[in-house]
Amino acid sequence: MKVRTRISAIIGTLGLVGTLALATASADESRAPGDAAQVVLTEVARAENPTAGAAGPKDTVWIAERAGTVRILDGDGLGEPVLDISDETTTDGERGLLGLAFDQDFAHLYLSYTDLQGTSTVDEFAVQDDTVQQDTRRTVLTQEQPESNHNGGDIKFGPDGHLYIAFGDGGGGGDPEGNGQKLDTLLGKLLRIDPQGGDPYAIPEDNPFVGDPNAKGEIWAYGLRNPWRFSFDSATGDLIIGDVGQSDWEEIDWAPASSAGGENYGWSQMEGTHPFRGGTEPANHVPPVHEYDRTGLGCSVTGGYVYRGEAIADLEGQYVYSDYCDGTLRSLEIENGEVTAEHDLGVNGGEVVSFAQGGDGELYVLAIGGTVSRVDPA
C-alpha cells in the first residue's frame, strides 16, 4: 500500500489511520453554481481522542473517547466519564472504542469497540433515568479481525428501528482474502440486526440474504473496504456511507430509504468507479454518488450527516463530510441519488475523525487531537 512520508508521521503519532492511503478533495469543487453556506466552527469542548458521538437524552450529545471512556456534552460542557471500558479495549492500529448509539427511545446504549484481542465487539447497556445501568451489560455481536486496520466500527439505528453495524474488509491492504465480495463473512459489510429480538440478537426477516445458505443473513450491503462512518438522513431516511479508499479514490455511497438492501458497492473489484488492480466491475455494482482522487493533502474520507438543523438555513439538506488529513468541511447537494452541487465550506476541523448530530439536527465535528466543535452560522 502507498504510504507517503507525511502520513507516516501522522500514523506514528496518532496510530489511528493505520494503513489508510492518501486522499484529496476533487479538483472540481463545484459542479453546479451556487454559493456555499457561510459557517464557522465553535469549539465547545476538548476530549481525549474523541472517535464518535450520538444524540442522547435531554438534548445531550454523548462522546466516545478512543481509549474506552464515554462522556456527556451538555450546556455546561463535557462532563466526567459516565462509562469506562478502557481496561477492556486496545488502541493499537485503528482499534479502540469506535462507535456508540442509542436506540430510538434511549432505553439502551450500544458501544462498538475492539477488545484486548482486537475482536470487534458490540455491547448493550440498559439506560434508566438517563443513567447507564452497567450491571445490565451484555455482548450482542463479535467479529474477529485478522489485522489491526480496516475495523470499521460505526453503529447507528436506522429509521426502521434496527441496528446497523459497519465492518471493514479485515485489513492488510488490497483485501487479500477478497472479503468485500464474499457473502459468507461479515467483513467488508454493512450489517442490519434486531438486538432486542433474540438472544443475542435476531436477523430481520426482510434482510436481503435471509434464506441464502451461502450468505450471512446479517448482511445488508457489501463490497465495502472500510466504511468508517455512515449515517441516515433524519428527514428522508436515506443511507450515506463514507468508504475509505485504498490507492487512488475515496468514495461516498448512497442508498434511498426505500432500498431493500443487497447493494454491492464494488470493493475490491472496484475502487470507486474504477477497476482495482485489474478487477472486473460486478454486474450489480452500485457506483458511489461521489468520489475524489488522491493527488493532494487528504488521506481518508470521514463521512458525516445531512444537515437538518435550524441554525444554518443555507446548509439545509446538504450532506456535510470531511477528510482525516485534509480537514476541510465540504458539502454535497444530492437529489434522487445524484450530486447536483459540491461546496467547500471554508473551515478546517483539523484531523477530523468523526461527526455527531445532536437531537436538534445541529452538527459537531470531532478531531482526534481532542477538539469537539459545533458547526455554527458565520
Side-chain angles (χ1 to χ4, degrees):
M1 176 181 293
K2 296 180 181 178
V3 182
R4 298 182 186 174
T5 301
R6 177 174 179 269
I7 300 307
S8 297
I10 293 171
I11 292 167
T13 302
L14 300 177
L16 177 66
V17 180
T19 57
L20 299 180
L22 285 171
T24 66
S26 169
D28 178 10
E29 277 299 333
S30 188
R31 289 185 191 175
D35 295 331
Q38 300 299 302
V39 305
V40 295
L41 292 179
T42 303
E43 184 175 320
V44 294
R46 293 195 66 86
E48 293 292 330
N49 301 136
T51 50
K58 295 181 179 178
D59 300 322
T60 59
V61 176
W62 291 44
I63 302 294
E65 297 175 314
R66 187 183 177 202
T69 47
V70 178
R71 301 167 71 184
I72 299 176
L73 177 67
D74 59 20
D76 297 322
L78 198 61
E80 293 300 312
V82 295
L83 194 58
D84 186 347
I85 62 167
S86 56
D87 59 347
E88 302 175 51
T89 189
T90 177
T91 57
D92 62 311
E94 295 171 19
R95 295 168 170 164
L97 176 53
L98 303 176
L100 79 168
F102 284 95
D103 55 15
Q104 292 175 326
D105 57 2
F106 302 111
H108 299 91
L109 172 68
Y110 294 83
L111 298 186
S112 172
Y113 65 97
T114 51
D115 69 11
L116 294 175
Q117 288 71 48
T119 297
S120 290
T121 305
V122 177
D123 282 359
E124 174 195 270
F125 298 81
V127 178
Q128 185 174 358
D129 298 327
D130 306 330
T131 302
V132 177
Q133 307 299 304
Q134 299 193 34
D135 59 353
T136 66
R137 181 179 181 179
R138 72 181 184 97
T139 295
V140 176
L141 183 145
T142 62
Q143 171 61 51
E144 291 185 3
Q145 293 284 354
E147 304 288 345
S148 64
N149 61 332
H150 305 183
N151 296 157
D154 201 9
I155 53 176
K156 296 283 192 305
F157 275 88
D160 54 12
H162 293 315
L163 180 62
Y164 290 73
I165 304 167
F167 285 145
D169 64 10
D175 195 9
E177 301 300 321
N179 290 323
Q181 291 297 305
K182 290 180 179 178
L183 294 177
D184 61 354
T185 176
L186 302 183
L187 296 172
K189 310 296 187 297
L190 183 66
L191 314 180
R192 178 180 183 249
I193 65 171
D194 177 1
Q196 291 291 305
D199 185 13
Y201 61 88
I203 297 173
E205 294 182 357
D206 58 347
N207 272 12
F209 299 105
V210 167
D212 184 342
N214 300 313
K216 295 285 190 181
E218 294 94 336
I219 297 172
W220 180 254
Y222 66 109
L224 294 163
R225 179 181 179 272
N226 191 24
W228 172 244
R229 291 292 172 250
F230 71 94
S231 64
F232 294 92
D233 184 337
S234 60
T236 67
D238 297 341
L239 168 68
I240 307 180
I241 305 169
D243 192 20
V244 178
Q246 171 77 37
S247 301
D248 298 301
W249 297 93
E250 297 297 309
E251 70 178 84
I252 294 172
D253 300 306
W254 177 91
S258 59
S259 169
E263 286 87 359
N264 178 4
Y265 293 113
W267 177 256
S268 57
Q269 292 296 305
M270 304 292 291
E271 185 181 17
T273 61
H274 312 270
F276 178 73
R277 295 180 182 174
T280 301
E281 184 173 16
N284 62 343
H285 177 223
V286 178
V289 69
H290 180 66
E291 64 180 7
Y292 59 93
D293 65 20
R294 299 177 161 192
T295 56
L297 299 176
C299 73
S300 67
V301 63
T302 299
Y305 289 85
V306 174
Y307 179 75
R308 296 297 180 186
E310 296 182 355
I312 313 169
D314 289 343
L315 196 60
E316 168 67 22
Q318 296 183 34
Y319 177 70
V320 179
Y321 70 102
S322 188
D323 184 286
Y324 177 79
C325 287
D326 178 59
T328 301
L329 266 61
R330 295 182 166 85
S331 69
L332 302 176
E333 298 182 37
I334 303 174
E335 296 182 9
N336 299 318
E338 298 288 338
V339 173
T340 59
E342 307 169 30
H343 303 289
D344 182 332
L345 297 181
V347 293
N348 192 292
E351 289 152 341
V352 177
V353 71
S354 192
F355 289 81
Q357 185 179 51
D360 57 1
E362 302 303 330
L363 297 184
Y364 297 81
V365 180
L366 280 56
I368 194 62
T371 57
V372 178
S373 302
R374 188 177 58 239
V375 183
D376 285 339

